[in-house]
């Protein structure tokens, strides 16, 4: 049998934090680990009173009482509750002088030949019972009751002794093992390798866990199951006074099953973390978390909740298969009304032994008993549930927290990547849009050039279509105008890959027709279609467009000052090709084209001396002349109009019927009229020179080439006006122009010209533009005042008085104006005829 000195040496190698006291509480043995824990050397502690030396004064009485009860109980049952229920707290000083406490738990009572001893330790584990035939040497008793398995062999490897823990580890008794080779404890097919390992380990010393090939060291128990262990081996030579010189080898075997499981679980978590990294969406990440928790932590009921900042609730994103059957459908949770919300808010894990008794649950019939929640900081929480009580341990919590940290990193990474992808898409879209805008801006410049160089409206429309049909992303463009009956849109120009689209009957201005150009013609607003295939079964025009590869479209009104001149429609071969920027630029192009078309019609009106005469009935009194005509039921005709650079407009108005005095008095009091001057002494056809500060009906219509001829006040509410339109302007266009200014206007009659239109060789506007304001005022006043008639209407002196200037000044201005007009006419004729 091993000697007492051998057992003492074994004790010294245990480092388990062990102390032995006699029945009086006097310390008989203490190891280095215990001394380090209480920060006191062994010399001071040996033979000292345990309670006086280590236990704080305020608790010594209770500690002695607990010690006495433990001694008197003399229990050898490892399940004796008194072992765990009667600990003693002993205090020691740290290196920094701080007080710290240690829990001392009684292990067992040892009966030696002379007296009884009590063994205590610091780690709180419950040891096996002491054998009834324990040796008289207390050191041997301590070894046999050590908290770890100890096996003793001779130099040949045959077992000579083992303690209780060794029997528990191997599942075999002393009688079965003593005399056997120690390699019989390990897998039989590897006994030679284990023997080599032990020989090398004995030479090197220390703690051994793995074989040289990296495999874990195992012990095989009585049932054939392998148990992972960590082994410390040391040789103890016999002392000089020993009867033999035998050398014994003791091995301390530690069962590390829990540690190995924990390490393997960690490794699985790390492997699953790689799967987590590959997930790209929140749902994929949540599903991967659930799968990892089920496989790695071995929990059947797992769910992942994510926080939605919009409704401030936690929403279930993924769960294990058994959750719906066991707990029903998971619902969103408010932050302040659930332990999951509490864990999320505090960023601290929650572990409940029994959910039914927890005040946060407030439900006695919930099927969930054990609950474990680990927050995913900033994102949500992982929840594990079980229908049994107290199913989750500290290791489960630590593993779930590790999984939650991995999840947090993946969610954060995914969030960053999604944000980067979103920014990249926005940047790409902006870049593409900017490129398109730059191209469209270039097209606008080209449209301006085309408008300047185009001789006719048809040429302007055709070149615009050719330009836009070749502008990315568009492939086809066309311009349509309203028919004279205003019941359909008529194609005027087109370019690109139309493939017969304009041959379809899709352009009737019917409320049921939703074709983009038709909608724009009806509403005079831009129409954008991002996907022509939407509702394709119910809208024929969409089928026609899709058959020709048109995937998106935009229709722009070509208008100027509220008048619609046509509709420009462009089609693209890609869906969603019409951006806001593209639409905005095209609308600018539409305004520009509308303005150009208006100018062309105005030029036609200037060059055309005859056109249709239209009579309208107007009730609006926004124009001061119409107000005067309505108030006095008078009739006036317009002889001439001149717009000055200052913004004022001078017109010559002839009163055909009515009182001149009343007209002058009302005009003086009217807003919008700066001055009124009567030319002549009266009569039926009194001539007035009227200056307006604001635009009025005549100036507004003149911008479109329409000349106001007459205003007749028929009664106090209705006035009739007559206008002359350019020969090239359709009636509906003139109606649109008048209605844009006076919405209540009603067309009464249309009178065709008696003679064919005559185009003037010269534009009176361009000739008169060369005169100064004073020269033009002088010659117009002389002309309309009858100065050039015979007999004269007004003399030069009378006209000078009207202008409040001297007679000589009047004649000087008149001669200068006549000289300019003659020069323009004669020089222009010579240039044209080559004379």
């Amino acid at each position: 049998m091993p000697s007492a000195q051998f057992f003492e040496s074994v004790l010294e190698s245990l480092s388990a934090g062990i102390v032995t006291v006699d029945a009086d509480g006097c310390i008989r043995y203490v190891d280095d680990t215990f001394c380090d824990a209480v920060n006191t050397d062994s010399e001071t502690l040996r033979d000292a009173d345990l309670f006086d030396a280590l236990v704080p004064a305020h608790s010594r009485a209770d500690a002695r009482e607990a010690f006495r009860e433990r001694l008197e109980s003399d229990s050898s049952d490892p399940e004796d509750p008194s072992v765990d229920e009667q600990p003693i707290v002993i205090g020691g000083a740290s290196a920094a002088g701080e007080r710290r406490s240690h829990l001392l738990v009684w292990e067992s009572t040892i009966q030696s030949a002379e007296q009884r001893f009590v063994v205590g330790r610091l780690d709180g584990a419950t040891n096996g019972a002491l054998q009834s035939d324990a040796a008289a040497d207390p050191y041997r008793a301590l070894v046999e009751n050590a908290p770890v398995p100890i096996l003793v062999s001779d130099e040949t490897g045959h077992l000579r002794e083992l303690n209780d823990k060794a029997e528990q580890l191997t599942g075999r008794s002393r009688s079965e093992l003593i005399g056997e080779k120690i390699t019989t404890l390990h897998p039989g097919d590897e006994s030679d390798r284990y023997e080599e390992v032990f020989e090398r380990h004995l030479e090197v010393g220390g703690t051994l866990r793995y074989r040289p090939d990296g495999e874990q060291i195992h012990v095989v128990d009585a049932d054939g199951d392998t148990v992972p262990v960590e082994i410390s081996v040391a040789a103890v030579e016999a002392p000089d006074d020993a009867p033999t010189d035998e050398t014994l080898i003791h091995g301390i075997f530690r069962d590390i099953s829990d540690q190995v499981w924990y390490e393997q679980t960690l490794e699985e978590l790390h492997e699953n973390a790689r799967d987590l990294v590959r997930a790209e969406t929140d749902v994929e990440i949540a599903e991967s978390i659930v799968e990892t928790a089920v496989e790695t932590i071995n929990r059947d009921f797992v769910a992942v909740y994510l926080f939605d900042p919009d409704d401030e609730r936690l929403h279930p994103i993924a769960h294990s298969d058994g959750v719906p059957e066991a707990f029903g459908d998971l619902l969103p949770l408010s932050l302040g009304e659930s332990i999951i919300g509490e864990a999320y808010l505090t960023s601290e894990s929650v572990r409940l032994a029994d959910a039914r008794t927890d005040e946060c649950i407030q439900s006695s019939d919930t099927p969930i008993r054990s609950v474990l929640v680990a927050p995913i900081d900033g994102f949500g929480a992982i929840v594990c549930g079980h229908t049994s009580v107290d199913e989750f341990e500290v290791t489960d919590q630590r593993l779930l927290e590790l999984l939650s940290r991995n999840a947090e990193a993946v969610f954060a990474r995914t969030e960053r990547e999604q944000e980067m992808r979103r920014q990249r898409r926005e940047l790409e879209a902006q870049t593409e849009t900017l490129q398109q805008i730059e191209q469209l801006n270039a097209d606008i410049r080209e449209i301006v050039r085309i408008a300047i160089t185009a001789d006719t409206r048809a040429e302007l429309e055709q070149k615009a279509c050719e330009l836009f049909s070749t502008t990315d992303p568009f492939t086809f463009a066309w311009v349509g105008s309203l028919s004279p009956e205003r019941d359909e849109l008529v194609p005027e120009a087109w370019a690109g890959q139309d493939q017969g689209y304009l041959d379809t009957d899709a352009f009737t201005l019917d409320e049921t027709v939703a074709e983009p150009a038709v909608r724009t013609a009806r509403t005079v607003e831009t129409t954008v279609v991002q996907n022509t295939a939407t509702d394709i079964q119910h809208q024929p025009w969409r089928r026609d467009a899709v058959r020709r590869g048109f995937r998106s479209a935009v229709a722009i009104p070509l208008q100027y000052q509220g008048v619609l001149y046509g509709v420009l429609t462009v089609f693209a071969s890609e869906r969603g090709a019409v951006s806001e920027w593209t639409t905005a630029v095209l609308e600018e192009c539409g305004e520009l084209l509308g303005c150009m078309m208006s100018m062309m019609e105005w030029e036609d009106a200037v060059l055309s001396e005859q056109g249709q005469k239209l009579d309208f009935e107007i009730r609006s009194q926004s124009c001061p002349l119409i107000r005067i005509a309505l108030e006095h039921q008078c009739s006036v005709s317009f002889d001439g109009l001149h717009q000055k650079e200052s913004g004022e407009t001078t017109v010559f108005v002839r009163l055909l019927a009515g009182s001149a005095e009343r007209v002058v008095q009302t005009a003086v009091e009217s807003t919008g009229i700066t001055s009124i001057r009567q030319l002549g002494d009266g009569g039926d056809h009194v001539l007035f020179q009227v200056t307006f500060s604001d635009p009025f009906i005549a100036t507004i219509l003149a911008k479109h080439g329409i000349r106001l001829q007459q205003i007749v006040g028929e009664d106090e509410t209705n006035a009739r006006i007559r206008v002359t339109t350019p020969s090239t302007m359709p009636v509906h266009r003139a109606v649109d122009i008048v209605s844009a200014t006076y919405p209540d206007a009603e067309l009464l009659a249309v009178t065709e010209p008696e003679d064919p239109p005559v185009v003037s060789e010269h534009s009176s506007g361009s000739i008169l533009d060369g005169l100064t304001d004073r020269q033009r005022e002088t010659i117009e006043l002389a002309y309309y005042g009858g100065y050039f008639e015979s007999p004269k209407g007004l003399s030069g002196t009378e006209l000078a008085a009207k202008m409040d200037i001297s007679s000589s000044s009047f004649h000087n201005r008149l001669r200068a104006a006549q000289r300019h007009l003659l020069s323009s006419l004669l020089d222009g004729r010579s240039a044209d005829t080559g004379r």
Side-chain angles (χ1 to χ4, degrees):
M1 295 294 290
S3 65
Q5 291 84 354
F6 173 80
F7 285 112
E8 185 175 3
S9 66
V10 172
L11 276 175
E12 292 174 351
S13 66
L14 282 177
S15 299
I18 295 176
V19 63
T20 302
V21 297
D22 59 21
D24 296 326
C26 183
I27 299 175
R28 296 304 184 188
Y29 173 83
V30 63
D31 65 1
D32 292 338
T33 302
F34 189 95
C35 293
D36 292 340
V38 298
N39 198 26
T40 309
D41 60 81
S42 59
E43 294 294 333
T44 303
L45 290 178
R46 285 189 180 178
D47 298 328
D49 183 85
L50 172 70
F51 305 101
D52 292 339
L54 299 176
V55 179
H58 66 274
S59 59
R60 284 175 189 166
D62 294 337
R64 287 187 187 275
E65 182 63 25
F67 173 78
R68 189 177 303 106
E69 289 178 0
R70 180 66 186 88
L71 189 65
E72 292 174 355
S73 68
D74 194 18
S75 173
S76 61
D77 184 1
E79 301 299 327
D80 182 5
S82 63
V83 174
D84 290 332
E85 293 175 357
Q86 299 185 29
I88 293 179
V89 177
I90 58 177
S94 65
E98 300 174 349
R99 297 292 297 175
R100 58 183 179 179
S101 299
H102 307 275
L103 184 66
L104 179 65
V105 181
W106 303 126
E107 288 297 340
S108 58
T109 303
I110 305 170
Q111 181 69 48
S112 69
E114 301 177 354
Q115 64 180 114
R116 300 173 71 201
F117 294 90
V118 177
V119 181
R121 63 181 174 83
L122 292 174
D123 59 4
T126 302
N127 289 332
L130 180 67
Q131 295 296 316
S132 58
D133 60 346
D137 192 338
Y139 296 116
R140 172 170 180 166
L142 289 175
V143 171
E144 289 181 344
N145 288 274
V148 294
I150 300 176
L151 295 98
V152 181
S153 69
D154 56 23
E155 292 180 296
T156 64
H158 288 81
L159 288 172
R160 299 286 297 277
E161 189 61 69
L162 63 154
N163 66 353
D164 292 344
K165 285 294 184 180
E167 287 183 321
Q168 294 176 19
L169 174 66
T170 62
R172 285 177 266 185
S173 64
R174 282 181 171 79
S175 60
E176 293 180 86
L177 290 177
I178 291 178
E180 295 291 332
K181 290 275 289 185
I182 194 169
T183 53
T184 60
L185 300 176
H186 304 284
D189 57 346
E190 299 178 348
S191 58
D192 293 339
R193 292 185 181 179
Y194 273 94
E195 191 166 356
E196 293 176 2
V197 170
F198 291 147
E199 290 178 358
R200 186 178 301 108
H201 184 211
L202 187 59
E203 297 175 359
V204 177
T207 302
L208 181 67
R209 175 175 173 179
Y210 300 101
R211 300 184 327 204
D213 58 3
E215 292 295 326
Q216 172 68 52
I217 293 177
H218 290 90
V219 168
V220 180
D221 61 17
D223 296 328
D225 297 328
T226 58
V227 180
V229 294
E230 186 178 73
I231 304 174
S232 297
V233 179
V236 180
E237 297 182 356
D240 295 338
D241 57 351
T244 63
D245 57 356
E246 181 182 34
T247 298
L248 296 179
I249 302 169
H250 69 84
I252 301 173
F253 287 60
R254 294 182 179 85
D255 183 352
I256 57 173
S257 299
D258 291 342
Q259 180 180 347
V260 170
W261 171 83
Y262 190 78
E263 292 173 352
Q264 291 175 346
T265 302
L266 287 178
E267 180 62 28
E268 291 179 11
L269 283 177
H270 288 306
E271 291 178 359
N272 282 282
R274 288 190 285 270
D275 295 332
L276 270 177
V277 171
R278 288 190 287 270
E280 295 184 354
T281 65
D282 290 347
V283 174
E284 291 177 355
I285 296 171
E287 290 176 347
S288 181
I289 292 171
V290 170
E291 182 179 354
T292 300
V294 170
E295 293 180 357
T296 306
I297 308 179
N298 194 24
R299 295 302 170 189
D300 294 332
F301 304 129
V302 183
V304 174
Y305 287 77
L306 293 183
F307 179 67
D308 185 350
D310 293 334
D311 63 0
E312 298 182 351
R313 294 195 297 175
L314 289 160
H315 291 260
I317 303 300
H319 56 73
S320 56
D321 295 337
V323 168
E325 182 178 353
F327 309 113
D329 294 334
L330 300 180
L331 301 176
L333 301 173
S334 299
L335 293 180
E337 299 178 0
S338 66
I339 58 172
I340 302 175
E342 186 67 20
Y344 174 77
L345 288 174
T346 61
S347 297
E348 295 181 359
S349 299
V350 176
R351 180 160 53 97
L352 300 180
D354 189 354
R356 292 185 182 178
T357 61
D358 191 274
E359 59 182 13
C360 294
I361 301 295
Q362 296 180 348
S363 176
S364 59
D365 58 352
T366 176
I368 304 176
R369 303 304 296 271
S370 302
V371 177
L372 178 59
V373 184
I376 307 173
D377 285 351
F379 297 97
I382 310 173
V383 186
C384 293
H386 203 281
T387 54
S388 299
V389 175
D390 201 15
E391 278 293 319
F392 299 113
E393 300 178 357
V394 175
T395 53
D396 296 316
Q397 179 175 333
R398 291 175 179 172
L399 291 172
L400 195 65
E401 288 172 348
L402 177 60
L403 179 58
S404 72
R405 287 194 292 272
N406 290 340
E408 177 188 346
V410 176
F411 276 122
R413 186 264 305 167
T414 303
E415 187 178 66
R416 289 193 300 270
E417 291 180 350
Q418 290 175 347
E419 179 64 19
M420 291 177 62
R421 284 195 293 269
R422 184 189 65 79
Q423 293 178 353
R424 185 161 50 248
R425 286 194 299 269
E426 289 183 354
L427 182 60
E428 291 173 353
Q430 290 175 359
T431 301
E432 183 178 356
T433 301
L434 289 174
Q435 292 173 347
Q436 293 178 359
I437 292 173
E438 179 60 30
Q439 179 62 45
L440 289 172
N441 286 332
D443 292 343
I444 290 179
R445 293 190 292 271
E446 182 63 16
I447 285 289
V448 174
R449 188 193 66 79
I450 291 172
I452 294 174
T453 58
D455 295 328
T456 64
R457 173 176 169 176
E459 181 183 358
L460 174 64
E461 292 173 341
Q462 183 60 39
K463 289 186 176 181
C465 290
E466 292 173 357
L467 180 65
F468 287 119
S469 65
T470 56
T471 300
D472 186 64
F474 304 117
T475 58
F476 174 58
W478 70 285
V479 172
S481 63
L482 292 176
S483 64
E485 296 79 12
R486 300 174 61 83
D487 59 352
E488 66 176 338
L489 201 61
V490 179
E492 300 289 353
W494 57 88
Q497 304 172 12
D498 67 305
Q499 305 177 65
Y501 179 77
L502 298 180
D503 297 335
T504 61
D505 298 328
F507 310 114
T508 302
L509 266 65
D510 191 289
E511 291 292 337
T512 61
V513 178
E515 202 277 340
V518 173
R519 286 161 57 186
T520 295
R522 285 202 311 265
T523 63
V524 196
E525 294 179 354
T526 300
T527 301
V528 177
V529 179
Q530 296 291 10
N531 185 2
T532 56
T534 302
D535 199 23
I536 193 172
Q537 297 88 350
H538 303 94
Q539 298 185 31
W541 79 267
R542 292 180 181 270
R543 293 195 292 271
D544 295 334
V546 170
R547 289 192 185 106
R548 292 160 176 81
F550 301 155
R551 296 294 182 262
S552 56
V554 56
I556 305 295
L558 307 180
Q559 60 178 331
Y560 177 68
Q561 293 188 343
V563 178
L564 180 68
Y565 290 90
V567 177
L568 168 66
T569 307
V570 288
F571 287 92
S573 59
E574 299 177 0
R575 295 177 182 174
V578 185
S579 65
E580 293 183 3
W581 287 92
T582 302
T583 303
V585 174
L586 285 174
E587 287 176 339
E588 291 184 9
C589 289
E591 294 176 0
L592 176 61
L593 290 172
C595 179
M596 294 299 179
M597 292 175 179
S598 174
M599 292 179 62
M600 288 180 173
E601 288 193 349
W602 181 83
E603 289 178 359
D604 291 340
V606 170
L607 296 175
S608 176
E609 294 183 350
Q610 295 184 6
Q612 294 175 316
K613 291 180 174 57
L614 307 180
D615 291 340
F616 290 90
E617 182 180 80
I618 295 179
R619 299 179 181 85
S620 172
Q621 298 186 21
S622 59
C623 174
L625 280 182
I626 293 179
R627 290 200 303 271
I628 293 174
L630 291 174
E631 182 175 347
H632 303 295
Q633 285 88 55
C634 60
S635 175
V636 297
S637 65
F638 287 80
D639 290 350
L641 179 148
H642 174 216
Q643 287 185 292
K644 301 179 180 180
E645 294 182 0
S646 62
E648 293 183 331
T649 304
T650 298
V651 297
F652 292 91
V653 178
R654 195 173 298 278
L655 181 63
L656 303 179
S659 170
E661 294 180 0
R662 296 174 63 186
V663 168
V664 171
Q665 182 180 357
T666 304
V668 171
E669 297 173 352
S670 297
T671 58
I673 297 179
T674 303
S675 65
I676 182 170
R677 180 186 297 164
Q678 181 178 335
L679 304 178
D681 295 331
D684 294 335
H685 294 194
V686 179
L687 183 67
F688 295 97
Q689 182 186 35
V690 186
T691 302
F692 293 87
S693 59
D694 299 321
F696 70 112
I697 185 170
T699 57
I700 294 173
L701 297 180
K703 292 180 179 179
H704 299 277
I706 300 176
R707 296 193 302 275
L708 179 65
Q709 288 190 330
Q710 193 175 34
I711 297 179
V712 179
E714 297 182 336
D715 52 43
E716 293 182 356
T717 58
N718 296 318
R720 181 168 51 85
I721 68 170
R722 168 167 288 189
V723 299
T724 301
T725 64
S727 60
T728 57
M729 180 180 290
V731 173
H732 70 81
R733 180 76 45 70
V735 173
D736 288 343
I737 294 172
V738 174
S739 299
T741 305
Y742 300 101
D744 61 353
E746 180 180 351
L747 179 64
L748 299 177
V750 178
T751 304
E752 297 292 339
E754 297 179 358
D755 300 321
V758 178
V759 179
S760 300
E761 182 180 2
H762 298 281
S763 169
S764 60
S766 61
I767 295 176
L768 293 176
D769 286 344
L771 299 175
T772 66
D773 286 344
R774 291 181 177 180
Q775 291 172 349
R776 181 163 181 169
E777 181 184 12
T778 302
I779 198 168
E780 285 179 339
L781 194 62
Y783 176 77
Y784 293 116
Y787 177 81
F788 299 107
E789 297 177 2
S790 180
K792 289 185 178 182
L794 293 176
S795 65
T797 303
E798 291 173 322
L799 290 173
K802 296 289 184 183
M803 298 179 66
D804 198 20
I805 59 177
S806 65
S807 177
S808 60
S809 296
F810 170 79
H811 286 92
N812 289 335
R813 292 181 186 177
L814 183 61
R815 282 194 296 272
Q818 291 173 326
R819 184 168 54 253
H820 172 80
L821 295 177
L822 291 173
S823 175
S824 298
L825 290 171
L826 295 177
D827 290 346
R829 185 183 62 187
S830 298
D832 292 339
T833 59
R835 296 176 186 174

